[in-house]
Amino acid sequence: MSKKPRRSAAWYGKTDKDGFIHRSWMKNQGFPDHAFDGRPIIGICNTWSELTPCNSGLRDLAEGVKRGVWEAGGFPVEFPVMSLGETQMKPTAMLFRNLLAMDVEESIRAYGIDGVVLLGGCDKTTPGQLMGAASVDLPSIVVSSGPMLNGKWQGQDIGSGTDVWKFSEAVRAGEMTLQDFMNAESGMSRSKGVCMTMGTASTMASLVEAMGMSLPTNAALPAVDSRRMALAHLTGKRIVEMVDEDIKPSDILTRAAFENAIMANAAVGGSTNAVVHLLAIAGRVGVDLTLDDFELGSDIPLLVNCMPSGKYLMEDFCYAGGMPVILRELGARLRDTPTVLGGSITAYADGAECYNRDVIYAMDAPLKPAAGLRVLKGNLAPRGAIVKPSAATEHLLEHEADAYVFDSIEDLKANIDRDDLPVTADTILVLKGCGPKGYPGMPEVGNMPIPGKLVKEGVRDMVRVSDARMSGTAYGTVILHVSPEAQDGGPLALVKTGDRIRISAQNGVLDLLVDEAELQARRDAWEPDAPHYTRGYAKMYVDHVLQADRGADLDFLVGKDTRPVTRESH
């Protein structure tokens, strides 16, 4: 048992006027005197919202957490924070990830709680909550909302996002009717939960488990599976024990834990968005993680046959054994790091069995070899860019061709389907102005559509380069997160249609083949676009956001502040 005094005692343990106020107003909800007897007070940080469909089951899971907290002798209190609906927010949910992190951090700091359960799921909610919790460093644990059931349409499984992109291109090519496209819409999202492909939400849940910040099996249990409610109950029970044992995020989120996450991301064919999120979380806990560290996963083979890198979905991944099997397959590569259970992450793999080798492959007989994210650098991306080989067309990973440049997302949308667009299947499409500052918020538009005239010819992939992100459900030979971004004066801003670009994923190269004197002349003439926002949070974001290679956090939020709050409100 911890000998540290309860943090909540500064709110609820005093017998003066302030203690009276804190307790009395809480009692209007029907809590009895003995609820304030010094037991751990556990915050349940809930991102439930009807505007975040992925998180629509979290209100129910919160009740499971409460059951576990009460059983373990704690006092559960649920509180809301901003919810980020990836599929619903404009201009992009990523613009608000850091705002959610601020909301979480300040809520945890201001309220009299001893530990916190983070209920998240949709893409930006999990990293935003982890960033905020890490900056306060109270005992914390994650329960994810879980993936939807497999999509179904015309007797086949269809996957969130991945099949949206495929169907959309098929309609543009005249290969799918608009009526079929509309009919598939209802069959894709059949239950509460996050995308059932290995998109960003399922990726982050998988990495949270690989880092030991959740209980085992958290990543893949379907949202509507009764075992997820049981997991919520067990998590509530465990957070009370973690408070007594004083296990904090800083104890778990070590550099070795991030290395495990990088390797796990490669093994599951995880989202490219994991890069900016892991970098941002590392910045909050003081771990010196850099973009170059993601090369650690470059030689890890792809083990999970899940869309967009394979053919199955998260429900199948669950039934095949889930993340415990992946951790077992990583074997000796896995770093021995602590977890929310107090022991080593290696214990998460104990007893793990694979029940379907067509869904989870073995390390010595993988789905694809050396499929982890690759970091590219060169005069077009001095501070780096990334590509996901497992979702790319292999022969395009070594490519040199002329560029066709879109100066903005509006330029792209207005011109991509022009019949006279001067492009071929070999052309490298370039999109500017979609980085953290430029959009703002670094949206998921990097997997720009194939030009209409080429789609009709059967082209389904081209090399695409931008300072944007792409959905974890997306696929293609897409070069992302070019840093510095165009709006920040990076070399991407200088590219013109007809310039030659060379990409080599094997050698980690992204070069603009233009004479330096010409580039300098362009640089001297360049001016940034006028800002899209001049007030509110968006202005603060643009003024303070870091580049993608540093996680796109706000510069003044990097690090943590664990000082106690001593001043009262009355």
Side-chain angles (χ1 to χ4, degrees):
M1 298 287 287
S2 171
K3 298 186 183 303
K4 291 178 63 175
R6 298 264 188 252
R7 180 178 183 271
S8 58
W11 279 258
Y12 303 109
K14 299 190 293 186
T15 56
D16 58 6
K17 175 194 69 176
D18 296 320
F20 180 106
I21 291 171
H22 292 308
R23 289 186 301 274
S24 178
W25 266 259
M26 287 290 284
K27 286 181 179 180
N28 80 356
Q29 300 172 81
F31 294 122
D33 287 342
H34 72 265
F36 304 94
D37 60 6
R39 66 186 65 197
I41 295 181
I42 304 300
I44 302 174
C45 178
N46 200 343
T47 56
W48 172 87
S49 169
E50 290 180 341
L51 283 170
T52 308
C54 297
N55 293 10
S56 58
L58 291 179
R59 191 157 59 175
D60 295 332
L61 287 182
E63 296 304 313
V65 174
K66 290 175 187 177
R67 291 194 318 227
V69 172
W70 284 120
E71 179 190 350
F75 178 5
V77 283
E78 183 180 354
F79 64 94
V81 289
M82 187 179 191
S83 190
L84 309 181
E86 182 66 38
T87 60
Q88 310 300 316
M89 299 186 85
K90 296 181 179 182
T92 171
M94 183 62 176
L95 176 63
F96 305 106
R97 183 201 66 179
N98 300 338
L99 183 57
L100 168 61
M102 292 174 70
D103 189 356
V104 172
E105 176 179 348
E106 301 304 339
S107 294
I108 293 173
R109 179 177 291 115
Y111 285 113
I113 60 178
D114 300 299
V116 63
V117 177
L118 306 173
L119 296 185
C122 194
D123 297 10
K124 311 304 177 292
T125 57
T126 298
Q129 286 181 299
L130 275 173
M131 290 161 66
S135 291
V136 188
D137 207 28
L138 293 186
S140 305
I141 190 171
V142 174
V143 177
S144 300
S145 54
M148 289 186 276
L149 297 176
N150 288 358
K152 299 286 183 179
W153 180 68
Q154 293 188 347
Q156 63 179 328
D157 284 352
I158 58 175
S160 305
T162 302
D163 279 311
V164 175
W165 319 129
K166 290 180 180 178
F167 293 164
S168 178
E169 296 291 67
V171 171
R172 294 173 70 223
E175 298 169 355
M176 183 181 194
T177 67
L178 182 60
Q179 186 60 54
D180 278 347
F181 183 68
M182 302 305 291
N183 290 342
E185 180 179 306
S186 297
M188 183 164 285
S189 304
R190 297 174 47 240
S191 75
K192 297 174 181 179
V194 303
C195 294
M196 83 299 282
T197 47
M198 189 59 77
T200 303
S202 290
T203 294
M204 292 309 299
S206 298
L207 303 192
V208 161
E209 186 174 334
M211 290 192 290
M213 280 298 299
S214 72
L215 296 182
T217 74
N218 172 72
L221 287 170
V224 294
D225 193 311
S226 63
R227 290 173 294 177
R228 184 159 291 279
M229 179 63 87
L231 183 77
H233 185 131
L234 293 172
T235 301
K237 184 173 181 290
R238 179 57 194 156
I239 188 62
V240 175
E241 298 164 350
M242 287 175 64
V243 169
D244 285 336
E245 296 164 17
D246 196 29
I247 298 176
K248 304 179 297 298
S250 59
D251 299 316
I252 299 168
L253 296 175
T254 62
R255 178 178 177 81
F258 285 99
E259 292 174 352
N260 284 341
I262 291 169
M263 291 187 289
N265 190 60
V268 302
S271 170
T272 52
N273 290 307
V275 176
V276 287
H277 297 324
L278 290 176
L279 288 169
I281 297 165
R284 296 300 185 98
V285 293
V287 170
D288 184 21
L289 195 71
T290 70
L291 190 59
D292 291 338
D293 291 319
F294 285 82
E295 282 291 328
L296 176 66
S298 63
D299 66 341
I300 299 292
L302 177 65
L303 304 183
V304 179
N305 190 6
C306 189
M307 295 183 195
S309 298
K311 66 179 182 179
Y312 292 103
L313 297 165
M314 288 297 293
E315 191 178 349
D316 306 299
F317 180 45
C318 173
Y319 304 151
M323 281 305 293
V325 176
I326 297 300
L327 298 178
R328 190 197 69 186
E329 290 293 341
L330 286 172
R333 293 175 183 252
L334 199 65
R335 280 47 167 162
D336 185 2
T337 60
T339 71
V340 292
L341 285 175
S344 169
I345 189 64
T346 57
Y348 282 39
D350 288 349
E353 290 186 55
C354 180
Y355 302 108
N356 189 337
R357 278 297 181 195
D358 197 37
V359 177
I360 305 177
Y361 283 60
M363 185 69 80
D364 58 1
L367 181 61
K368 294 181 182 179
L373 301 179
R374 294 307 310 263
V375 177
L376 309 179
K377 289 188 176 180
N379 69 341
L380 187 52
R383 284 162 47 188
I386 60 171
V387 66
K388 182 178 179 179
S390 67
T393 301
E394 188 172 357
H395 77 268
L396 290 177
L397 290 169
E398 305 293 321
H399 192 66
E400 181 180 319
D402 292 343
Y404 186 88
V405 177
F406 298 101
D407 288 318
S408 68
I409 191 67
E410 289 77 19
D411 181 17
L412 182 145
K413 289 182 176 180
N415 292 290
I416 193 70
D417 285 332
R418 277 174 36 208
D419 288 337
D420 62 346
L421 197 71
V423 296
T424 71
D426 286 333
T427 301
I428 295 177
L429 302 181
V430 175
L431 175 61
K432 302 179 183 180
C434 295
K437 295 177 184 290
Y439 205 78
M442 204 182 175
E444 295 182 341
V445 297
N447 56 314
M448 56 193 97
I450 303 300
K453 72 174 193 177
L454 297 181
V455 169
K456 294 172 185 176
E457 295 173 7
V459 177
R460 291 296 181 269
D461 194 14
M462 297 171 68
V463 176
R464 287 156 277 179
V465 178
S466 75
D467 45 14
R469 298 178 300 112
M470 76 173 179
S471 168
T473 68
Y475 55 89
T477 313
V478 185
I479 315 303
L480 302 157
H481 308 187
V482 171
S483 185
E485 65 174 300
Q487 182 67 8
D488 204 42
L492 188 68
L494 310 179
V495 184
K496 293 184 177 182
T497 294
D499 288 348
R500 199 85 174 160
I501 293 175
R502 180 173 60 226
I503 169 183
S504 172
Q506 181 176 355
N507 297 315
V509 170
L510 181 61
D511 275 335
L512 177 62
L513 305 181
V514 175
D515 181 79
E516 181 55 37
E518 169 63 18
L519 289 178
Q520 187 58 52
R522 296 181 190 180
R523 193 174 291 114
D524 293 341
W526 176 81
E527 291 184 5
D529 292 338
H532 294 276
Y533 295 92
T534 57
R535 64 179 300 277
Y537 168 74
K539 176 177 173 16
M540 181 174 70
Y541 176 93
V542 171
D543 289 346
H544 292 280
V545 69
L546 299 169
Q547 288 296 290
D549 65 303
R550 296 184 62 190
D553 200 358
L554 302 185
D555 54 15
F556 61 85
L557 290 177
V558 175
K560 58 188 175 184
D561 183 356
T562 60
R563 293 176 296 176
V565 179
T566 56
R567 291 178 172 174
E568 289 282 356
S569 59
H570 294 86

